[in-house]
Amino acid sequence: MSILSTSRRGTDSYKWDSAPADDIIPLWVADMDFVTYPGITEALQRRVQHGIFGYTLVPDSYYDAVCRWFAEHHGWQISKDDIIYTSGVVPAISAIIKALTLPGDQVIVQGPVYNCFYSSIRNNGCEMVSNSLIYNKETLRYEIDFDDLDRKLSHERARLFLLCNPHNPGGRVWTRDELTRVAQLCRKHGVRVVSDEIHCELTLHDNRYVPFGSLPDELSFGSITCCSPSKAFNTAGLQIANIVCRDAAVRERIDRAININEVCDVNPFGVIALQAAYTDGGYEWLCELRRYLTANYEMLLSFFAEHLPHLPVMRMEGTYLAWVDCSALDETSEEIEERLMRENRVWVNAGSMYGKEGEHFIRINMACPSELLKEGLRRIAQGLLQ
């Protein structure tokens, strides 16, 4: 088994075909250029041969696959009754906010963070409050400001805390001790934790993902976790995700909001793909993918150390999204993104889209063939050394 890639240009790929010209290398949106696990493709081909694609019934085998996967690989015991399926993690977060807040309530995030957190909060009429992460310039990693979090959680209108684990774009994989401290503070103030764990399988080196829901019952029982195989297995277009919550009363409210938002029906291909992914063969493929991504990350680190040493790369523990500190440059992140695309034909993400804390950063997607990444990095250096 090996990690394969193929040309995506001209396939209506959002990542590739959104570019204004065909000579631009896209290193932006969180979408891999690798062919998915062959077992998924084979399962989908069998389903296609049936020739009818009506409304789908999610079978017990689907829930069994989810429960078995997280128990075997992450030590997290889930039961079928804990799970609500939906079409994606973003619709899940939006429905959860709708279910558990009223307009004007506060939802706490940890900026810089995934941009759709902001829109989901805004679209539900809530106020976004940032417990900004501390940028440790010596270790090149983010840390949680627990004193600030304690203060923010104490506000009378604070209702939800949105956690990103592993963190996008900062690359942190939160430790059990860090998650425990978060849980203790949230319990102290009666604020519910909603954890986006879509990148949970994408750990680098020997870093280990800890599901928030795997913390002791007294800390995690009322929490809500959103997860999906879509990032790890490159199946985002199949639109399948799960909400895991052990509190039956909270789960009922979320289920009602899922139906209000009309994201209760899912793609039959997504149901089949998840079951094919969450197998022994899928795990073997995933381990190979992690090794490939880790090698790409090491190559990127070496490249920046040699050619762009004035631009520190944050220490990545997970995801495939490098986070680069460009504060040494006299440009905004939007200006850097626009100039690199226009003049150097490479597309990165401006860090400002992840909140004010990211305004001097750029995000680089490393989930592509190593030779393509090398050329993209060469173009980035060409532009940033001018």
Side-chain angles (χ1 to χ4, degrees), residues 185-202:
L185 288 174
C186 287
R187 186 184 183 204
K188 169 185 171 183
H189 294 291
V191 174
R192 197 175 303 278
V193 176
V194 180
S195 188
D196 173 359
E197 302 188 358
I198 196 170
H199 290 276
C200 66
E201 311 298 345
L202 297 169

Side-chain angles (χ1 to χ4, degrees), residues 48-101:
V48 167
Q49 288 174 356
H50 181 254
I52 299 174
F53 313 112
Y55 300 118
T56 192
L57 177 69
V58 177
D60 286 343
S61 57
Y62 174 93
Y63 298 99
D64 292 344
V66 175
C67 296
R68 183 176 59 250
W69 179 269
F70 281 95
E72 289 182 0
H73 300 295
H74 305 301
W76 184 23
Q77 303 299 323
I78 305 170
S79 74
K80 173 185 175 181
D81 291 341
D82 299 336
I83 300 170
I84 302 171
Y85 59 78
T86 187
S87 58
V89 166
V90 173
I93 290 171
S94 182
I96 292 165
I97 295 173
K98 181 184 290 294
L100 303 178
T101 67

Side-chain angles (χ1 to χ4, degrees), residues 159-171:
R159 294 290 177 271
L160 297 179
F161 173 74
L162 293 192
L163 177 70
C164 196
N165 176 40
H167 187 270
N168 170 24

Side-chain angles (χ1 to χ4, degrees), residues 66 70 76-79 82-84 96 193 195 213 220-227 242-247 251 254:
V66 175
F70 281 95
W76 184 23
Q77 303 299 323
I78 305 170
S79 74
D82 299 336
I83 300 170
I84 302 171
I96 292 165
V193 176
S195 188
S220 66
F221 177 74
S223 67
I224 301 143
T225 298
C226 302
C227 53
N242 294 298
I243 300 168
V244 183
C245 178
R246 285 180 290 162
D247 187 319
R251 201 167 56 244
I254 295 170

Side-chain angles (χ1 to χ4, degrees), residues 193-242:
V193 176
V194 180
S195 188
D196 173 359
E197 302 188 358
I198 196 170
H199 290 276
C200 66
E201 311 298 345
L202 297 169
T203 52
L204 305 178
H205 299 295
D206 59 352
N207 292 287
R208 187 170 182 82
Y209 150 73
V210 178
F212 190 90
S214 70
L215 297 180
D217 283 358
E218 65 270 19
L219 296 177
S220 66
F221 177 74
S223 67
I224 301 143
T225 298
C226 302
C227 53
S228 171
S230 61
K231 293 298 180 193
F233 291 92
N234 209 21
T235 57
L238 299 182
Q239 298 186 318
I240 193 74
N242 294 298

Side-chain angles (χ1 to χ4, degrees), residues 304 311 322-326 332-334 336-337 340 348-352 354 358-364 380 384:
F304 269 83
L311 304 182
W323 190 237
V324 182
D325 180 358
C326 295
T332 67
S333 62
E334 294 96 334
I336 294 171
E337 176 185 345
L340 286 176
V348 300
N349 280 126
S352 57
Y354 308 103
E359 59 189 8
H360 296 299
F361 289 79
I362 59 171
R363 195 185 77 167
I364 301 173
I380 289 171
L384 299 187

Side-chain angles (χ1 to χ4, degrees), residues 303 306-311 329 339-340 378-386:
F303 185 92
E306 179 179 355
H307 300 284
L308 298 164
H310 57 301
L311 304 182
L329 304 178
R339 184 168 62 81
L340 286 176
R378 187 193 68 78
R379 295 185 188 190
I380 289 171
Q382 184 182 50
L384 299 187
L385 286 172
Q386 290 178 356

Side-chain angles (χ1 to χ4, degrees), residues 312-332:
V313 179
M314 292 291 276
R315 172 183 163 191
M316 288 184 64
E317 299 166 349
T319 83
Y320 48 71
L321 304 163
W323 190 237
V324 182
D325 180 358
C326 295
S327 55
L329 304 178
D330 189 23
E331 289 180 284
T332 67

